[in-house]
Amino acid sequence: MGDSGAGVRADVHDPGYHPALTQAAFRIGDSVTNVITPMMSYFALIVTFSQKYDEKYGIGTIISTMIRTR
């Protein structure tokens, strides 16, 4: 019974994927959400500049523009 546990544990820690594939998948997923996060450091600046040209622009307009997929 002691040997079977070690084999399962090795499979979990080494699934056979190259580390670069894991990092690429993370970066793709992370880059999609970085555009729409309110914690983005330039978010307030983007809202301010857009309101300079169109006073109706707000946080919702900016976020919906950033996540538009078309």
Side-chain angles (χ1 to χ4, degrees):
M1 183 174 170
D3 291 335
S4 65
V8 171
R9 197 171 310 128
D11 291 340
V12 171
H13 291 293
D14 186 20
Y17 299 118
H18 193 273
L21 178 65
T22 305
Q23 186 174 12
F26 172 78
R27 286 179 182 248
I28 290 169
D30 190 45
S31 66
V32 171
T33 58
N34 281 343
V35 175
I36 61 170
T37 181
M39 297 299 288
M40 188 173 86
S41 57
Y42 295 110
F43 191 76
L45 188 65
I46 293 169
V47 172
T48 303
F49 278 123
S50 59
Q51 285 178 344
K52 178 180 176 183
Y53 295 103
D54 190 353
E55 294 178 357
K56 295 184 289 184
Y57 266 52
I59 293 172
T61 308
I62 301 299
I63 290 175
S64 67
T65 303
M66 289 180 171
I67 61 174
R68 190 170 293 161
T69 58
R70 294 184 202 173

